[in-house]
Amino acid sequence: MLKEGLNTNNLDDLSGQRLRPSLLSDLWVLAKARVVSLLVFTAAVGEILAPNALIHWESALAGLVGIALAGGAGGVLNQIVEPALDQHMHRTLHRPLAEGRVSRTGAILYAAVLMGAAIAILAWGTNPLTLVLTLVGTVGYGVVYTLYLKPSTPWNIVWGGLAGALPPLIGWSAITGSLAALPLVLVLLVFVWTPAHFWPLAICCRQDYAKACIPMLPVTHGVDRTRKEILNYAILTWIVSLVPVFLTGDWVYGAIAALSGA
């Protein structure tokens, strides 16, 4: 029986080792790849709407790769700052830094490699405006939001969401090298959508946020107030989604946006 017990323990140990995430999986999580995929998607929309996008396909591709790498660097920076906070939340306690599977030094090196590659690709394949906008977005999320906004104000996701709203403009600038009204409206659309999208999650995780001393709106102002703000921002998202009609004259899009938004 002792022998069988030892064999069972050994099997449990081996099973635990097999279930341990691989280094590639940890790097994927550190870079917040699923979130970055949304940044790349909205950047691609900006590129598709830009004039002569097919002619400048090399700049378009460089822009998407650069945004993906820079967004990954921002995700790593966010987790470098917050391993202690992540340990207090069920949603984040198994992240690589929170569990100690990746060292902070290793994460810093990883972020530096991603950011360095992003800068090189954007500088080579796009233009200075695109590079500057990408740097603003990365620093805005990885530094300004993580270090200053998130721990200090319940409206953190509103102002911090601006960094994540920039990709449509970055995609447009990668093709044109300039700014325009239409991509700025898309930035505004993502900006007002972000709180409406995130606060339901914050309501579900409000006890974890309170435990981690993060002043999310449901923690500081209560669930009822947060629900009202979700509704306000959802309505605002719907209104902003109709603005492109007046810029492009595309009433088919306007009808679809009005009905689906409603």
Side-chain angles (χ1 to χ4, degrees):
M1 291 181 64
L2 179 60
K3 184 177 180 180
E4 290 177 356
L6 289 173
N7 288 339
T8 301
N9 290 335
N10 289 339
L11 288 173
D12 289 341
D13 291 341
L14 290 173
S15 176
Q17 290 174 4
R18 284 196 296 268
L19 292 174
R20 176 184 173 86
S22 66
L23 177 59
L24 287 178
S25 175
D26 283 340
L27 295 178
W28 182 266
V29 172
L30 274 174
K32 295 191 174 182
R34 290 190 297 175
V35 175
V36 169
S37 68
L38 295 177
L39 304 181
V40 173
F41 174 78
T42 55
V45 172
E47 291 184 345
I48 291 171
L49 292 176
N52 302 317
L54 292 178
I55 296 176
H56 302 290
W57 65 268
E58 291 179 337
S59 296
L61 181 60
L64 295 181
V65 173
I67 290 169
L69 292 170
V76 179
L77 288 174
N78 173 262
Q79 293 176 75
I80 288 172
V81 174
E82 298 185 335
L85 296 179
D86 287 342
Q87 291 170 352
H88 288 87
M89 301 186 63
H90 289 92
R91 186 171 62 89
T92 58
L93 59 84
H94 295 301
R95 284 177 174 175
L97 279 166
E99 288 196 332
R101 298 194 305 271
V102 176
S103 68
R104 182 168 290 189
T105 301
I108 292 172
L109 178 61
Y110 180 39
V113 170
L114 289 176
M115 198 67 235
I119 291 172
I121 290 172
L122 291 171
W124 168 76
T126 61
N127 51 72
L129 177 60
T130 303
L131 177 56
V132 169
L133 289 173
T134 304
L135 290 175
V136 168
T138 304
V139 173
Y141 175 72
V143 178
V144 178
Y145 169 72
T146 303
L147 281 178
Y148 300 104
L149 294 175
K150 187 173 182 178
S152 63
T153 171
W155 306 101
N156 46 29
I157 197 62
V158 177
W159 302 112
L162 180 59
L166 288 176
L169 184 60
I170 296 173
W172 177 283
S173 70
I175 301 296
T176 66
S178 62
L179 306 178
L182 182 58
L184 287 172
V185 170
L186 295 181
V187 170
L188 179 61
L189 179 62
V190 179
F191 175 72
V192 297
W193 166 83
T194 300
H197 146 75
F198 188 83
W199 278 330
L201 174 64
I203 290 175
C204 292
C205 300
R206 62 188 182 278
Q207 294 180 349
D208 283 347
Y209 281 121
K211 189 189 307 181
C213 297
I214 300 174
M216 288 296 178
L217 192 64
V219 176
T220 60
H221 289 68
V223 173
D224 288 342
R225 170 66 184 276
T226 305
R227 286 173 174 161
K228 292 177 182 177
E229 293 297 339
I230 291 170
L231 179 59
N232 291 338
Y233 275 88
I235 294 171
L236 189 57
T237 300
W238 179 44
I239 293 172
V240 174
S241 74
L242 301 177
V243 174
V245 176
F246 302 99
L247 297 176
T248 64
D250 190 342
W251 293 99
V252 174
Y253 160 79
I256 295 172
L259 292 174
S260 60

